[in-house]
């Protein structure tokens, strides 16, 4: 056992050392990560770790690290029978919708300021009051909300989905700021719901200006959940995968990420030759999840950690996700026909 622990400490230090973790820090968590990794093998399970999780979860026990939708899709391609999704609750629900035959657990039933901003009853009321409008929901919603909408979208296909909707008027929910960003570039009339992400609404355009002055040549990347004024001032706006691609392909050396601190850590760990500057904001919901919760979910899960979605809601929510694929394809074709290709969130990206 001592040999196994020593090897685990070395493995952890190899990954976390570059993020400032000491060998002593790694020694403290090694027994827990070792046990979780053994339980994964015994239970034919994988751990999905959202990029906003802490590094001990991402690099200590995560089999895949990424954004919520990409991870859920990845799990469909993996033979594991059980998924422990280190993320907030609605993300676990999305994984369950795409992997209905697998057991899906979340270490904690954590909320999210965006997903908590709207419920199914409110969408039904909107529908009743706006019978001619199409309703598109961002993937950051609960399954019961997805079930009431015409289509779902992610930050990387929202423009295509909205452009391909058959209605002229679109109600976009729950993210007001992403909806306002969409309204700037879309040909549709977009009405927004008043939800926000507590992380991305916290940044303002002055922080971007300040970083440009302090680091000449810096490239600034932001998530489209940020305010339109800020999005207009950055070099690239998009989701996690788009940001990763941008940094990997850019000849620039210095970057600022206007997003959650976990993603900043991930970029520091994965782009050793680049410099990541500026501040980040912690998501209090994502940070509720601790390594011990992951261990407990494997050893003795309680009902609130196990994702169950009533079959009628799951079927309608899944339809909303399937519609997203159909509209994304159609929207891409439409934009190409209009000679615009993929529409960027920001003029400069
Ligand atoms: S970062 Fe924002 S959208 Fe993501 S879980 Fe936290 S509050 Fe929700």
């Amino acid at each position: 056992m001592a040999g196994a622990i020593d090897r685990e400490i070395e493995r952890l230090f190899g990954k976390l050392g570059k993020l400032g973790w000491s060998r002593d820090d790694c020694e403290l968590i090694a027994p827990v990560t070792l046990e979780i990794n053994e339980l994964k093998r015994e239970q034919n399970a994988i751990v999905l770790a959202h990029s906003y999780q802490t590094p001990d979860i991402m690099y200590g026990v995560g089999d895949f690290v990424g954004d919520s939708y990409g991870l859920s899709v990845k799990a469909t391609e993996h033979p594991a029978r059980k998924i422990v999704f280190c993320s907030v609750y609605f993300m676990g629900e999305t994984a369950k919708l795409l992997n209905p035959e697998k057991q899906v657990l979340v270490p904690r039933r954590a909320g999210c300021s965006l997903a908590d901003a709207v419920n199914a009853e409110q969408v039904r009321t909107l529908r009743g009051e706006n019978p001619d409008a199409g309703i598109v929901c961002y993937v950051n919603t609960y399954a019961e909300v997805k079930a009431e909408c015409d289509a779902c979208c992610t930050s990387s296909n929202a423009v295509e989905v909205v452009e391909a909707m058959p209605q002229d008027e679109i109600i976009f929910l729950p993210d007001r700021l992403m909806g306002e960003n969409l309204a700037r570039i879309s040909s549709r009339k977009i009405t927004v719901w008043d939800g926000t992400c507590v992380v991305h609404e916290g940044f303002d355009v002055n922080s971007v200006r300040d970083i440009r002055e302090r680091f000449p040549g810096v490239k600034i990347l932001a998530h489209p959940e940020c305010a339109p004024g800020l999005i207009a001032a950055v070099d690239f706006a998009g989701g996690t995968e788009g940001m990763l691609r941008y940094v990997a392909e850019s000849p620039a050396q210095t970057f600022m990420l206007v997003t959650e601190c976990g993603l900043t850590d991930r970029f520091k760990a994965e782009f050793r030759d680049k410099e990541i500057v500026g501040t980040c904001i912690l998501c209090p919901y994502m940070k509720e999840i601790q390594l011990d919760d992951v261990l407990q979910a494997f050893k003795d899960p309680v009902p609130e950690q196990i994702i169950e979605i009533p079959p009628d809601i799951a079927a309608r929510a899944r339809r909303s996700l399937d519609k997203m694929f159909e509209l994304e394809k159609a929207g891409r074709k439409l934009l190409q026909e209009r000679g615009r290709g993929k529409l960027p969130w920001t003029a400069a990206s």
Side-chain angles (χ1 to χ4, degrees):
M1 192 62 182
I5 289 280
D6 288 343
R7 283 194 297 278
E8 183 66 356
I9 294 167
E10 283 316 304
R11 184 186 75 83
L12 290 169
F13 189 61
K15 292 186 178 266
L16 300 175
K18 48 197 167 198
L19 292 172
W21 285 55
S22 68
R23 213 173 276 276
D24 286 349
D25 295 332
C26 296
E27 202 174 321
L28 271 178
I29 63 165
V32 185
T33 56
L34 192 62
E35 190 172 0
I36 292 171
N37 288 325
E38 279 169 6
L39 286 165
K40 284 195 305 198
R41 281 188 288 276
E42 279 168 24
Q43 298 182 14
N44 188 14
I46 49 171
V47 170
L48 306 179
H50 191 272
S51 301
Y52 298 173
Q53 291 291 289
T54 47
D56 51 344
I57 289 179
M58 279 196 275
Y59 299 112
V61 297
D63 294 289
F64 300 103
V65 178
D67 61 19
S68 68
Y69 194 73
L71 286 174
S72 296
V73 171
K74 203 154 242 171
T76 65
E77 296 153 5
H78 197 281
R81 302 294 308 154
K82 179 172 179 171
I83 298 164
V84 176
F85 201 161
C86 297
S87 68
V88 294
Y89 188 76
F90 81 79
M91 295 184 181
E93 280 192 335
T94 305
K96 182 68 180 174
L97 289 173
L98 295 184
N99 297 271
E101 73 297 348
K102 300 183 182 181
Q103 188 185 39
V104 180
L105 298 101
V106 284
R108 268 178 187 262
R109 210 180 176 108
C112 157
S113 63
L114 268 183
D116 292 337
V118 63
N119 61 36
E121 186 54 43
Q122 290 168 313
V123 184
R124 284 193 287 271
T125 303
L126 268 181
R127 173 86 68 198
E129 292 169 352
N130 303 275
D132 297 331
I135 304 183
V136 175
C137 61
Y138 185 31
V139 72
N140 291 19
T141 41
Y142 292 109
E144 63 161 37
V145 168
K146 291 184 176 78
E148 299 298 331
C149 294
D150 296 308
C152 195
C153 72
T154 66
S155 57
S156 61
N157 64 22
V159 185
E160 286 84 351
V161 168
V162 164
E163 288 301 301
M165 286 287 287
Q167 298 87 349
D168 288 329
E169 187 180 345
I170 306 297
I171 298 172
F172 183 80
L173 56 89
D175 192 341
R176 173 171 55 81
L177 297 175
M178 185 181 280
E180 287 171 1
N181 283 316
L182 262 178
R184 283 174 58 231
I185 52 177
S186 171
S187 63
R188 298 303 162 93
K189 176 176 185 297
I190 294 181
T191 308
V192 295
W193 189 257
D194 197 17
T196 49
C197 161
V198 288
V199 171
H200 294 105
E201 74 168 345
F203 293 99
D204 72 43
V205 70
N206 291 329
S207 54
V208 169
R209 292 196 187 113
D210 176 54
I211 288 288
R212 282 212 196 280
E213 273 171 28
R214 282 172 50 210
F215 299 94
V218 67
K219 293 291 179 195
I220 303 181
L221 291 71
H223 196 285
E225 290 167 17
C226 294
L230 188 146
I231 293 295
V234 301
D235 299 290
F236 174 84
T240 304
E241 294 310 313
M243 287 188 187
L244 280 166
R245 246 190 333 269
Y246 184 93
V247 174
E249 290 168 5
S250 171
Q253 276 307 303
T254 312
F255 300 86
M256 178 192 182
L257 304 182
V258 184
T259 187
E260 211 274 345
C261 300
L263 193 57
T264 310
D265 279 343
R266 189 175 164 201
F267 275 65
K268 282 179 184 163
E270 294 179 22
F271 295 105
R272 302 293 304 279
D273 55 331
K274 315 249 180 184
E275 192 188 5
I276 310 294
V277 297
T279 53
C280 57
I281 296 179
L282 289 170
C283 171
Y285 305 99
M286 284 283 183
K287 267 38 183 194
E288 278 181 37
I289 296 146
Q290 305 286 314
L291 213 43
D292 285 340
D293 301 317
V294 186
L295 180 59
Q296 186 269 323
F298 271 103
K299 286 171 86 171
D300 187 21
V302 295
E304 73 164 19
Q305 291 172 307
I306 302 169
I307 310 273
E308 297 287 358
I309 306 172
D312 64 313
I313 292 180
R316 287 183 293 125
R318 179 66 211 232
R319 218 164 32 234
S320 178
L321 284 169
D322 290 343
K323 194 73 186 166
M324 169 175 86
F325 292 116
E326 191 188 312
L327 292 172
E328 180 184 2
K329 249 198 310 302
R332 202 176 304 132
K333 200 159 160 253
L334 260 177
L335 291 174
Q336 270 159 5
E337 283 165 8
R338 290 180 204 155
R340 301 189 69 179
K342 179 147 183 69
L343 268 185
W345 284 101
T346 173
S349 61

